[in-house]
Amino acid sequence: MNFEILATCPVTGARAGLLHTAHGTIETPVFMPVGTQATVKGVLQRDLAGELDARIILANTYHLFLRPGADLIKNLGGLHKFMSWDRAILTDSGGFQVFSLSDRCKISDEGVLFHSHLNGDAHLFTPQSTIDAQLAFGSDIAMVLDECPPYPVTHEVARAAMLRTVQWAGIGYSHYLEQEAPDTAVFPIVQGSMFEDLRAECALRLQELDAPGYAIGGLSVGEPREISLEIAAFTAGLLPCAKPRYAMGVGTPKELAEHVARGVDMMDCVMPSRNARNGYLFTGSGRVIIKQARYRDDQGPVDADCGCYTCRTFSRAYLRHLFQAGEMLFSTLATIHNLRHYLDRMRGLRAAILDGTFPAFLTTVQALPA
Ligand SMILES: [Zn+2]
């Protein structure tokens, strides 16, 4: 993997670049649609690549490790072949889901022992085993196992989790280097909850690994959004300029711009796809809650400024009908629109960085409705 910065906004520090992976080049800043179970829910791979032109998607190690299993995916030729997706894939370490989904988990220096939320079976995730699983998938970008504490936590608890994250990153990264997997890049994750001193210590120590990119974890765990943004900005500023910075699990359409303005290059969030399935559609003039009676006979598109298949083809009235009738087509059409909204927003930010108009563009975006 190789990262090239093409332009940096002199006012804000926002960057536009190219991330070259074994499965294609990704224009940054980039939003990565979430494909938890090796599928972006409701969207065909054909449309992800064609209609949406997503260059990279995210899949979840925890879910795929439990079902169908890393060995099975490896034996079937890896995750790209298994899901028929020849563009880039980033997988998380599984740490976040272990802490949020599994029934019981017990953390030790060795790793985290947990019980599957599917059938209660006990499993142990270690820094080495989560790298092995991601190498079995053939991920283009893999993450090291981290300990992601909830919010709020005491400084003492956050410090212990941060130190364990640093220790696991060292073990996981050394293990990865021994495997000779040139097509997979591994990113460590900066933790430290909302404490700047812990974030600073973590970022500094992880840089000793000289990894090709760094992630900012521990966000979107229940903290107020302003704090989330502040701590992401603080952490991004501690990371090496020449390497991609990935803010995990953010954000709203407006927050994308705020993170980009603070030098973040990569983001992912379930919000566009989850909100779509629940009938919340993002537009340039605010959110459309499709079940509202006002859309019952509305012949206009969801967003007149959007060029997606859904907006080119269907009326708000039809989409509302599909939603009210519980038709599965609604989820597909709504997800296509919301993802296109996110991807177009990111492409607009990138274009503004490249042509030197980012500060003005940011002001325009900040003035948009939430
Ligand atoms: Zn649309």
Side-chain angles (χ1 to χ4, degrees), residues 282 302-303 306-312 333 336-338 340-341:
F282 296 107
V302 172
D303 186 346
C306 176
C308 85
Y309 170 71
T310 305
C311 291
R312 291 196 313 269
L333 296 176
I336 284 175
H337 167 76
N338 271 1
R340 175 73 176 257
H341 184 78

Side-chain angles (χ1 to χ4, degrees), residues 22 31 69 104 127 183 199 206 278 289 343 357:
F31 178 78
R104 304 176 293 281
D183 289 345
R199 291 277 175 178
L206 291 178
N278 292 325
I289 302 170
L343 293 165
T357 57

Side-chain angles (χ1 to χ4, degrees), residues 14 81 292 363:
K81 183 156 183 244
Q292 290 176 348
T363 307

Side-chain angles (χ1 to χ4, degrees), residues 125 158 160 172 174 182 304 313 323 345:
F125 267 177
S174 309
T313 318
F323 181 75
R345 177 71 63 93

Side-chain angles (χ1 to χ4, degrees), residues 41-340:
K41 290 186 198 309
V43 182
L44 298 176
Q45 274 73 333
R46 183 187 68 193
D47 291 339
L48 264 183
E51 175 70 29
L52 297 170
D53 195 16
R55 306 286 177 88
I56 179 169
I57 59 167
L58 181 146
N60 287 118
T61 297
Y62 171 84
H63 291 282
L64 297 175
F65 170 87
L66 291 179
R67 182 180 59 194
D71 288 342
L72 181 94
I73 290 174
K74 184 180 183 180
N75 293 339
L76 292 173
L79 194 50
H80 293 85
K81 183 156 183 244
F82 181 55
M83 67 176 290
S84 288
W85 175 254
D86 62 7
R87 298 186 174 192
I89 298 175
L90 179 148
T91 45
D92 63 2
S93 69
F96 184 82
Q97 275 78 21
V98 164
F99 298 115
S100 59
L101 286 178
S102 67
D103 294 333
R104 304 176 293 281
C105 67
K106 194 165 178 285
I107 303 167
S108 67
D109 286 343
E110 188 191 359
V112 50
L113 182 69
F114 64 98
H115 292 267
S116 159
H117 72 292
L118 297 173
N119 58 13
D121 283 358
H123 298 278
L124 178 69
F125 267 177
T126 67
Q128 298 94 329
S129 74
T130 48
I131 289 290
D132 288 340
Q134 294 175 86
L135 294 181
F137 298 153
S139 310
D140 297 280
I141 302 175
M143 296 285 141
V144 292
L145 186 64
D146 59 327
E147 183 180 343
C148 178
Y151 176 86
V153 281
T154 62
H155 188 274
E156 190 185 355
V157 170
R159 183 155 202 276
M162 182 277 284
L163 291 174
R164 185 167 277 127
T165 295
V166 170
Q167 186 193 0
W168 285 352
I171 296 168
Y173 204 76
S174 309
H175 179 71
Y176 153 72
L177 291 176
E178 289 162 10
Q179 310 307 309
E180 294 180 11
D183 289 345
T184 300
V186 172
F187 289 10
I189 303 171
V190 181
Q191 289 289 350
S193 189
M194 306 303 148
F195 301 104
E196 290 190 349
D197 62 323
L198 300 183
R199 291 277 175 178
E201 184 178 349
C202 193
L204 190 69
R205 293 184 59 182
L206 291 178
Q207 283 174 65
E208 290 169 14
L209 300 174
D210 195 24
Y214 287 88
I216 305 168
L219 304 173
S220 300
V221 291
E223 75 282 9
R225 307 303 291 188
E226 322 79 71
I227 297 184
S228 186
L229 195 58
E230 262 174 45
I231 210 75
F234 176 77
T235 310
L238 301 165
L239 295 172
C241 275
K243 296 179 177 179
R245 302 161 178 159
Y246 162 31
M248 305 178 83
V250 294
T252 64
K254 288 185 82 162
E255 285 171 351
L256 298 184
E258 298 296 340
H259 284 289
V260 168
R262 288 157 177 84
V264 168
D265 307 295
M266 305 165 69
M267 280 166 256
D268 77 281
C269 189
V270 293
M271 189 177 253
S273 38
R274 184 175 290 165
N275 279 21
R277 296 194 299 279
N278 292 325
Y280 295 95
L281 302 167
F282 296 107
T283 78
S285 48
R287 207 167 55 163
V288 167
I289 302 170
I290 202 72
K291 72 176 179 191
Q292 290 176 348
R294 59 201 280 211
Y295 301 123
R296 199 176 64 86
D297 57 356
D298 188 333
Q299 297 185 62
V302 172
D303 186 346
D305 295 327
C306 176
C308 85
Y309 170 71
T310 305
C311 291
R312 291 196 313 269
T313 318
F314 302 104
S315 64
R316 290 174 169 183
Y318 180 64
L319 292 168
R320 178 176 186 273
H321 158 69
L322 292 179
F323 181 75
Q324 296 293 81
E327 283 294 331
M328 63 174 96
L329 181 60
F330 175 80
S331 293
T332 295
L333 296 176
T335 307
I336 284 175
H337 167 76
N338 271 1
L339 285 177
R340 175 73 176 257

